[in-house]
Amino acid sequence: MNDLPVILGSGALVLLASVLAVRFSIRLGLPSLLIYLGIGLLIGEVGFGVDFENPQLTQSLGLAALVMILAEGGLTTRWSTVRPSLGPGIALSTVAVLVTILVTGSALHLLLGHDWRTALLWGAVLSSTDAAAVFSVLRSSGIGSRVTGTLELESGLNDAPAYIAVVLLASGATLTWSLPLLVIYELVAGALIGFLLGWLGAQTLRRAALPATGLYPLATVAVCFAAYAAAQSGHASGLLATYVAGVVLGNSRLPHRSDTLSFAEGLGWIAQIGLFVLLGLFASPERLVDNVVPGLVAGAVVLLLARPVSVLLSATPFRVPWREQVFLSWAGLRGAVPIVLATIPLAEGVPGAEQLLDAVFVIVIVFTLLQGALIGPLGRWLGLTTDSEPEEIEVDAAPLDELGAVLLQVRIQRGSRLHGVYLAELRLPTGSGVSLVVRRGQGFTPADTTRLQEQDQLLVVTTQDVRAAAERRIRAVDRAGPLARWRGELGD
């Protein structure tokens, strides 16, 4: 009991420092995970000297944090955003994972001299992109919804096949013809369990009369955790079940939906902060220095060879434009997930697992800095960014919740074809409308005769049913003016 104030006080200081670090990481356009890792390193050997070397505990806590992150990711995923990217997203989360394992493993077998199983294990650990890392960079980048939807779906789904591959390779399982069938079973069964529990949870919560508003977010998140437990018990993919259950729940008409999403977002942040600080605490800076070269070699192979090849093979059948393929190749950030996956062979006592873990740390630190810093400029160079992309504003309001409506903010950038358009010409679908215009710092309620100008900020109220159509119309007029449909521009 005497240590309790010290433990709680230290935890509070770490949490406050991590929360404040988010502001600076977003301003710099870099993933906040690097700062969290740095805090963990500072607490550990190089700073306060806290000694933490328990791979089994790190693996268990890491997987628990991943479940929380995937639950939050599923709950905040909008089906209307990812649905147009469903094909490329699924291909990137399955085919691309397999291609990355094979290409990376083959290259590292030749370059680093690893035996085939060890080389493929390195490829499996590095095959999963990280949702937290990707979207901490994309949050304010202005990249269009089609590309972000693809990346969002990929990062939510590819943890499951990567995890299965790492477990199989680390366990020393014999590679037979039945293994692909086992993997397919685990993925399909996990998706079905997640969908079923998500649907049942949504139906139950809509009919339940809980005594307090705060109980609805707790019950919603509990359903996601139950999906993980049920899938794992059935020898299916618990990670995939968690994400699918979250997507189903997040896109259902849940009571107090805005409160639920806010709670899930906070839970996701706590999981990210705790996970990255824990991983930083577990790392050994002295060993990291010794594995800089293998880490840089493996990272370069993934970034410059395996990722582009996997994107090319996965996205080309869906006619994804080459500009978007280039961006998808560069935006495949590695974060906490590969580090957590690397603790699995370490906990299993696989030879060379310590070098793998240290190399992954090097890859995450170096290549996240490199890729994260260039994502914004690359998006602008490829012509994929726009300041007019509608952004949701989170507001807790009972009338909006009852109507199933949301608030969107739209900024009219310089050169946008929205400039000079009369509000009546915007022709938003029924159920949506512009409620406020902010011009030169002054807000006013617009009329049909209001003419939009560059640098205007629009506040759009729209129901969930027509939100996607409203966003497409805004994008279409932004690109082609009020006659966008006549010119063949649909805003996709």
Side-chain angles (χ1 to χ4, degrees), residues 5-192:
V6 176
I7 295 174
L8 291 179
S10 301
L13 289 176
V14 171
L15 186 59
L16 286 173
S18 302
V19 169
L20 293 175
V22 176
R23 178 181 180 89
F24 297 101
S25 67
I26 292 177
R27 180 177 297 178
L28 295 174
L30 296 175
S32 52
L33 70 90
L34 295 177
I35 298 177
Y36 304 153
L37 286 173
I39 292 175
L41 289 170
L42 181 63
I43 297 173
E45 297 178 9
V46 298
F48 296 104
V50 176
D51 188 17
F52 181 78
E53 295 183 1
N54 190 327
Q56 288 81 12
L57 181 59
T58 302
Q59 176 191 342
S60 298
L61 294 177
L63 288 174
L66 285 182
V67 171
M68 296 169 65
I69 293 171
L70 285 173
E72 184 266 341
L75 288 169
T76 55
T77 294
R78 285 176 48 224
W79 177 245
S80 60
T81 299
V82 301
R83 181 174 55 189
S85 308
L86 190 60
I90 293 177
L92 284 172
S93 60
T94 52
V95 176
V97 168
L98 178 61
V99 172
T100 299
I101 293 173
L102 295 177
V103 173
T104 304
S106 301
L108 296 184
H109 173 70
L110 297 174
L111 296 175
L112 298 181
H114 293 315
D115 63 82
W116 276 108
R117 182 178 288 272
T118 300
L120 292 174
L121 180 59
W122 279 57
V125 167
L126 296 173
S127 63
S128 177
T129 59
D130 187 82
V134 170
F135 286 99
S136 63
V137 172
L138 292 181
R139 186 179 294 116
S140 56
S141 64
I143 301 298
S145 61
R146 182 168 58 187
V147 177
T148 55
T150 301
L151 287 169
E152 183 174 355
L153 197 61
E154 177 199 12
S155 61
L157 296 176
N158 67 4
D159 293 346
Y163 174 79
I164 294 172
V166 171
V167 170
L168 290 174
L169 290 167
S171 65
T174 304
L175 303 180
T176 63
W177 63 269
S178 62
L179 275 180
L181 298 178
L182 175 63
V183 173
I184 292 173
Y185 160 76
E186 292 195 17
L187 295 178
V188 173
L192 291 176

Side-chain angles (χ1 to χ4, degrees), residues 244-318:
V244 171
V247 172
V248 174
L249 287 165
N251 289 273
S252 302
R253 290 186 175 275
L254 297 177
H256 309 288
R257 181 176 178 275
S258 59
D259 295 328
T260 298
L261 296 184
S262 296
F263 176 79
E265 184 179 11
L267 192 66
W269 276 112
I270 290 177
Q272 291 177 42
I273 292 171
L275 175 58
F276 296 138
V277 172
L278 174 68
L279 295 175
L281 181 62
F282 182 73
S284 173
E286 184 178 348
R287 294 201 315 266
L288 294 183
V289 174
D290 297 333
N291 289 285
V292 167
V293 173
L296 293 179
V297 171
V301 167
V302 173
L303 177 63
L304 302 178
L305 180 61
R307 177 68 179 179
V309 171
S310 64
V311 169
L312 178 66
L313 295 178
S314 303
T316 300
F318 298 96

